[in-house]
């Protein structure tokens, strides 16, 4: 691995929410059982470039590979530092992890789905304050995470809509789940606008709580933060803004999320005053099987893919080179 030595550190928060077990809500795994393992496998892919304790490279039901392979490919080209935080993993991972006390997230239609949210936020905040880095890039892996992100946005009174790992966003189903969650927590939209930790505990997931803590700790110590991801990171940004922080915050995502008409990422990023970077990996210029499902609208983002692409772009690496390395990583793991 080469080293850019520019002091950028990638932090992947990997965890779970049982909300993902609902039929048709997520494509971040081949089936509901394998989905539980996706974040543990994504962490291994980022750290080692292959599954170690987990048995499969995560793919969607139709075979779209995890975006972790894109992030890994860029990491092999750039050599940026990467740290994994356990944001509520449900399966063992062989990736070294930092613990913040985050437990598995339960379905948000239950009354108290993330009892570990407050503790994880505070522990992550301390970690974010202390972690040496010139710049932090915060990434996520949590199947079902766009639905819990919608829950948090509504609890905070933000009207942003979320994207999806599926080509056809199940927006009505997500709205219904969030309605049920609001009811279970006796909340109306906006009721938790002044209480971000309550919003994430009652309506969110452990990864969002951990990411918000990391971002808060970093901004308190003037470390520049870029949220690497799509609409789930809007919920993280909203948690940080509703916590009273008004300074600079970046959001780096893919063209696939930015162009998703079922969400409106650009408008939402603007209303949360985020410095937005959108990068198009140009997968449509390839006919490699690893890329064709992305071009068909699957996955779109995840495991910091948009942030990794932005780092590559900033380092002057052509997207053709990123595509080539991604294809090589895919062929090594999944071809034959
Ligand atoms: C993470 N690992 C993935 C993956 N993601 N592996 C395969 N496909 C993905 N899409 P949703 O709310 O629809 O489940 O989308 C969010 C999930 O998809 C997150 O885990 C994100 O990192 C991505």
């Amino acid at each position: 691995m080469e080293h850019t030595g520019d002091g950028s550190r990638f932090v992947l928060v990997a965890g779970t929410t049982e909300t993902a077990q609902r039929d048709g809500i997520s494509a971040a795994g081949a089936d509901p059982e394998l989905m539980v393992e996706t974040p543990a496998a994504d962490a291994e892919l980022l750290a080692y470039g292959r599954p170690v304790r987990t048995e499969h490279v995560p793919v969607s039901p139709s075979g779209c590979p995890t975006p972790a392979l894109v992030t890994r490919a860029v990491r092999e080209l750039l050599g940026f530092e990467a740290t994994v935080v356990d944001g509520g993993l449900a399966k063992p991972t062989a990736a070294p992890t930092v613990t913040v006390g985050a437990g598995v997230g339960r379905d948000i239609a239950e009354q108290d789905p993330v009892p570990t949210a407050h503790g994880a936020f505070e522990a992550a905040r301390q970690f974010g304050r202390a972690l040496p880095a010139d710049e932090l890039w915060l990434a996520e892996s949590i199947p079902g995470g766009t639905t819990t992100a919608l829950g948090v946005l509504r609890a905070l009174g933000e009207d942003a809509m979320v994207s999806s790992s599926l080509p056809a966003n199940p927006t009505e189903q997500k709205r219904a789940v969030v309605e049920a969650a609001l009811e279970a927590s006796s909340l109306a939209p906006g009721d938790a606008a002044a209480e971000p930790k309550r919003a994430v505990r009652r309506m969110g997931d452990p990864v969002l709580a951990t990411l918000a803590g990391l971002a808060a700790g970093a901004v308190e110590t003037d470390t520049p933060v870029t949220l690497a991801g799509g609409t789930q990171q809007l919920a993280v940004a909203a948690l940080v803004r509703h916590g009273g922080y008004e300074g600079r915050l970046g959001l780096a995502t893919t063209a696939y999320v930015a162009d998703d008409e079922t969400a409106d990422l650009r408008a939402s990023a603007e209303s949360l005053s985020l410095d937005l970077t959108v990068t198009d990996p140009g997968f449509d210029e390839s006919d490699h099987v690893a890329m064709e499902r992305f071009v068909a609208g699957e996955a779109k983002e995840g495991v910091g893919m948009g942030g990794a692409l932005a780092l590559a772009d900033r380092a002057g690496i052509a997207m053709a080179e990123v595509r080539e390395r991604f294809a090589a990583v895919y062929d090594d793991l999944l071809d034959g």
Side-chain angles (χ1 to χ4, degrees), residues 12-137:
L12 170 65
V13 181
T16 51
T17 169
E18 287 169 3
T19 313
Q21 295 296 309
R22 290 168 176 263
D23 271 351
I25 212 148
S26 173
D31 62 42
E33 208 174 307
L34 286 171
M35 232 176 255
V36 179
E37 199 176 77
T38 292
D42 282 343
E44 292 178 351
L45 290 165
L46 178 65
Y48 305 112
R50 58 177 55 254
V52 177
R53 282 183 88 178
T54 58
E55 284 180 25
H56 307 278
V57 174
V59 294
S60 75
S62 70
C64 184
T66 172
L69 300 189
V70 181
T71 302
R72 172 68 197 188
V74 174
R75 184 161 185 240
E76 290 179 4
L77 295 170
L78 286 179
F80 54 77
E81 300 283 350
T83 301
V84 180
V85 177
D86 182 343
L89 289 167
K91 296 283 183 190
T93 185
T97 56
V98 177
T99 53
V100 292
V104 166
R106 288 195 288 274
D107 189 290
I108 54 167
E110 291 182 28
Q111 205 193 6
D112 190 11
V114 200
T116 56
H118 292 198
F121 177 92
E122 283 306 331
R125 183 170 154 224
Q126 293 306 326
F127 181 53
R129 290 181 68 96
L131 188 61
D134 295 337
E135 270 183 57
L136 273 188
W137 295 68

Side-chain angles (χ1 to χ4, degrees), residues 287-314:
D287 51 18
H288 194 281
V289 62
M291 291 169 234
E292 69 185 14
R293 303 310 308 162
F294 282 87
V295 176
E298 278 198 59
K300 300 186 187 73
E301 170 60 279
V303 200
M305 175 178 165
L309 295 174
L311 276 170
D313 198 39
R314 191 173 78 178

Side-chain angles (χ1 to χ4, degrees), residues 157-197:
E158 297 287 339
D159 65 6
M161 194 49 209
V162 293
S163 184
S164 174
S165 60
L166 289 146
N169 193 350
T171 47
E172 286 317 310
Q173 188 185 6
K174 287 178 184 177
R175 286 198 177 97
V177 173
V178 168
E179 275 300 310
L182 285 166
E183 199 170 319
S185 293
S186 306
L187 287 170
D191 272 1
E195 297 169 283
K197 282 190 261 185

Side-chain angles (χ1 to χ4, degrees), residues 163-325:
S163 184
S164 174
S165 60
L166 289 146
N169 193 350
T171 47
E172 286 317 310
Q173 188 185 6
K174 287 178 184 177
R175 286 198 177 97
V177 173
V178 168
E179 275 300 310
L182 285 166
E183 199 170 319
S185 293
S186 306
L187 287 170
D191 272 1
E195 297 169 283
K197 282 190 261 185
R198 180 162 170 239
V200 73
R201 173 171 179 162
R202 298 290 176 183
M203 298 290 294
D205 66 57
V207 168
L208 292 174
T210 304
L211 284 169
L214 282 169
V219 296
E220 282 164 12
T221 48
D222 296 322
T223 305
V225 176
T226 304
L227 303 171
T231 52
Q232 290 158 265
Q233 298 288 10
L234 288 177
V236 175
L239 287 166
V240 173
R241 293 295 189 217
H242 284 253
Y245 178 73
E246 289 169 1
R248 291 193 74 162
L249 203 52
L251 177 68
T253 195
T254 64
Y256 306 114
V257 174
D259 294 346
D260 180 356
E261 286 170 4
T262 68
D264 191 355
L265 182 99
R266 289 174 198 276
S268 303
E270 196 179 320
S271 84
L272 288 163
S273 305
L274 304 175
D275 301 325
L276 179 65
T277 306
V278 176
T279 311
D280 183 351
F283 288 172
D284 55 337
E285 289 173 46
S286 163
D287 51 18
H288 194 281
V289 62
M291 291 169 234
E292 69 185 14
R293 303 310 308 162
F294 282 87
V295 176
E298 278 198 59
K300 300 186 187 73
E301 170 60 279
V303 200
M305 175 178 165
L309 295 174
L311 276 170
D313 198 39
R314 191 173 78 178
I317 293 184
M319 287 301 132
E321 200 179 332
V322 172
R323 293 195 293 273
E324 202 176 305
R325 181 63 73 120

